[in-house]
Amino acid sequence: MFSGDIKSNINLHDNGISDERIFEAAKIVGADKFIADLPQKYGEEVKERGATLSVGQKQLISFARALAYNPKILILDEATSSIDTETEMLIKQAIEKLLVGRTAIVIAHRLSTIQNADKIIVLHKGEIRETGNHQQLLAKKGIYYKLYQLQYKDQEILAS
């Protein structure tokens, strides 16, 4: 996040990105809901590093920025870290919308962030140890399966 306002944090002062595109990007990722509650809406001041925003709000604005720029490839690094469970659900929904029609590299420790990926690569000590989709990796009962058990110990593991 940068000093300025919500709008400039989405378009990064690029006049080629219309207000309509900014508003649509914010709506698609769900940022419009909290922005609508701000006194100045898209003109609301953002302090340096987004000090006035929650971690989840900063993530949603970042997603809106990415969507406004419409990249072909995205790299998301720990997009759901440091957020509460309720915000995690909003972020996951935003990620699903953000990734449509794009190639993405998603780095995550929370397996819920990557469960719908076409291909998951499990790294351990800098080496590729397993590859596959969610169900394939659960069926292997290797590292991914053990991580899944740790993260979802209170839920039934669905390997079918």
Side-chain angles (χ1 to χ4, degrees):
M1 295 287 101
F2 305 98
S3 297
D5 58 19
I6 299 288
K7 179 181 168 184
S8 67
N9 268 279
I10 295 174
N11 73 358
L12 298 177
H13 300 285
D14 182 342
N15 294 329
I17 296 177
S18 69
D19 286 353
E20 292 76 24
R21 194 156 144 196
I22 291 168
F23 302 151
E24 182 64 20
K27 182 178 181 179
I28 289 169
V29 300
D32 64 322
K33 293 173 183 72
F34 84 84
I35 293 170
D37 292 335
L38 298 172
Q40 301 298 315
K41 313 291 187 238
Y42 288 84
E44 185 74 16
E45 181 182 9
V46 176
K47 302 281 187 194
E48 187 172 338
R49 304 185 104 188
T52 55
L53 301 169
S54 73
V55 173
Q57 290 170 332
K58 289 188 267 190
Q59 284 289 61
L60 292 174
I61 290 171
S62 296
F63 293 163
R65 178 187 308 139
L67 199 56
Y69 275 85
N70 198 26
K72 292 180 182 179
I73 299 173
L74 281 173
I75 299 174
L76 302 178
D77 187 1
E78 296 294 352
T80 56
S81 67
S82 304
I83 54 174
D84 59 82
T85 306
E86 182 180 331
T87 306
E88 179 183 0
M89 297 308 286
L90 289 172
I91 300 294
K92 283 175 50 179
Q93 291 170 357
I95 289 172
E96 285 177 24
K97 294 172 184 172
L98 183 62
L99 298 183
V100 171
R102 292 179 175 78
T103 298
I105 298 170
V106 181
I107 301 161
H109 283 89
R110 286 191 186 181
L111 301 184
S112 61
T113 306
I114 58 168
Q115 284 181 2
N116 294 324
D118 296 327
K119 183 175 186 178
I120 299 168
I121 301 171
V122 180
L123 297 173
H124 183 67
K125 296 185 178 182
E127 293 184 25
I128 296 174
R129 299 294 295 273
E130 298 174 341
T131 61
N133 67 30
H134 175 70
Q135 294 301 327
Q136 291 167 338
L137 291 172
L138 287 178
K140 287 181 182 180
K141 297 201 177 196
I143 294 170
Y144 184 88
Y145 177 83
K146 290 175 186 169
L147 290 170
Y148 189 85
Q149 282 184 311
L150 287 172
Q151 288 186 21
Y152 296 98
K153 62 184 172 199
D154 297 330
Q155 298 174 17
E156 179 182 340
I157 295 183
L158 304 172
S160 58

